[in-house]
Amino acid sequence: HFCEHMLFLGTKQFPDENAFEQFLTSGSGGSNAFTDNEDTVFFFNCAPNVLPGALERFGAFFQSPLFNEGATEREVNAIDSEHQKNLQSDGFRLSELLGQRASAEHPFHHFGTGTRATLLGSGQVSELRNALLQHYDRFYRAPLMTLCIAGPEDIRTLVGLAERFFAGVRGGEPQALPWPRPWEGVPAFEPDAFERALDVVPVSDARELQVNFPIYFAADGSEDPSAMDKEVWRRFNPAVHVGAV
C-alpha cells in the first residue's frame, strides 16, 4: 500500500511529484489506485489524443520511480491519515474484525493498510526507504503484472503503445521469482472461527447481516471435488455472482 502511494511521486523521466496528475487533468482525465488482498491496481482515464503521453508517464512508474527520501515521511503521514479516516468506516471495521478471526499464520490475519507506527515506528526514514526499494525490486516485475489499455485506436496501435512504453519493465530473475509462501497449506480460518456469530455496533445507523464462508482452491494435481481450481475462479469469479444474489 505504501509502495502504491510512493509510485505517484515522481520518476526519473518526470521528476515533478504532480507530473502525471497534471498531465491527466489537462487531458480531461484522472487516476487512482488501490491495494487489495492479492493485487495492487493502478488505473487512469484521459482523452484519446493524450493517451500516448499518459502511457509514457504511467509506464515510468514501473521502470524508474524516484522514491525520494524527502517524500517518504510525508507519504507515511498520508497513509496514517487514511487509516484514521478508515476507523469511522463500518466496512473497514468489519473487514479488520474478520481478519482478526483468521489464522494467525495466514496473511489475511495481518493488518494491511498501514499507519505511521507500523511503517516507521521508532526507525529511520532511510530504513523504511530501503525496505521500500527491496519490495519494489522483488515484486514489480513483468511476470507478476497485467497491463490493459482501452482506446478507440485499432489493436495494432494499442499493442505498439504497450511495447513502446512498457518494454523496459524488468522481467523475472531467479533470486526474485518465485518468492517463498510460508502460509501455503495454512487454512485462512480454523473451524472454530465459524462456530459463533458476532454482533457489531456500527458507526452509522445501519442494519446488515454478513455471512462469510471460505472457498478452497485445489492443490496442483488434486482430485478433490469440493475444491475450486484457481483458473476457474479467475475466469468466472463466483464471489461477484454470489454477492449479487
Side-chain angles (χ1 to χ4, degrees), residues 154-235:
D154 61 81
I155 189 65
R156 181 173 296 180
T157 299
L158 294 176
V159 169
L161 291 172
E163 293 174 342
R164 179 181 173 187
F165 297 122
F166 293 86
V169 176
R170 298 164 306 157
E173 295 181 2
Q175 69 270 26
L177 300 172
W179 65 93
R181 297 185 177 189
W183 64 86
E184 285 196 345
V186 176
F189 295 92
E190 298 293 346
D192 59 359
F194 299 96
E195 292 178 356
R196 59 193 174 100
L198 293 179
D199 290 328
V200 180
V201 178
V203 174
S204 59
D205 184 12
R207 301 290 184 272
E208 178 181 315
L209 172 64
Q210 191 175 103
V211 180
N212 297 282
F213 52 90
I215 299 176
Y216 294 103
F217 294 125
D220 292 339
S222 171
E223 297 182 0
D224 182 358
S226 65
M228 177 174 285
D229 180 81
K230 290 182 181 179
E231 292 306 314
V232 174
W233 170 274
R234 291 188 179 277
R235 188 175 301 115

Side-chain angles (χ1 to χ4, degrees), residues 26 36 44 67 107 119-120 137 155 181 185 187 200 204 213 237:
S26 68
D36 209 339
F44 73 88
F67 292 143
L119 286 169
L120 197 54
D137 182 64
I155 189 65
R181 297 185 177 189
V200 180
S204 59
F213 52 90
N237 197 355

Side-chain angles (χ1 to χ4, degrees), residues 25-159:
T25 300
S26 68
S28 304
S31 68
N32 211 332
F34 63 88
T35 298
D36 209 339
N37 291 327
E38 295 185 324
D39 304 287
T40 297
V41 180
F42 301 83
F43 55 95
F44 73 88
N45 65 286
C46 63
N49 63 301
V50 300
L51 180 60
L55 288 172
E56 181 181 14
R57 288 159 176 79
F58 185 59
F61 283 23
F62 313 107
Q63 299 169 73
S64 58
L66 290 178
F67 292 143
N68 284 328
E69 190 165 332
T72 301
E73 186 169 10
R74 175 159 35 88
E75 209 56 32
V76 167
N77 292 332
I79 291 279
D80 194 73
S81 295
E82 186 176 323
H83 171 68
Q84 296 303 321
K85 173 179 64 68
N86 287 340
L87 291 178
Q88 299 305 309
S89 165
D90 286 317
F92 176 83
R93 292 156 70 97
L94 284 170
S95 177
E96 286 299 307
L97 182 61
L98 183 63
Q100 287 301 306
R101 301 188 72 186
S103 303
E105 296 80 14
H106 196 278
F108 191 65
H109 180 78
H110 300 166
F111 174 59
T113 56
T115 65
R116 183 178 179 86
T118 60
L119 286 169
L120 197 54
S122 59
Q124 300 295 316
V125 171
S126 59
E127 295 174 0
L128 175 59
R129 184 175 183 273
N130 288 338
L132 174 66
L133 292 171
Q134 292 173 15
H135 175 85
Y136 177 85
D137 182 64
R138 190 173 192 180
F139 296 110
Y140 278 73
R141 296 180 176 272
L144 300 177
M145 298 182 181
T146 299
L147 173 67
C148 176
I149 304 175
E153 298 83 0
D154 61 81
I155 189 65
R156 181 173 296 180
T157 299
L158 294 176
V159 169

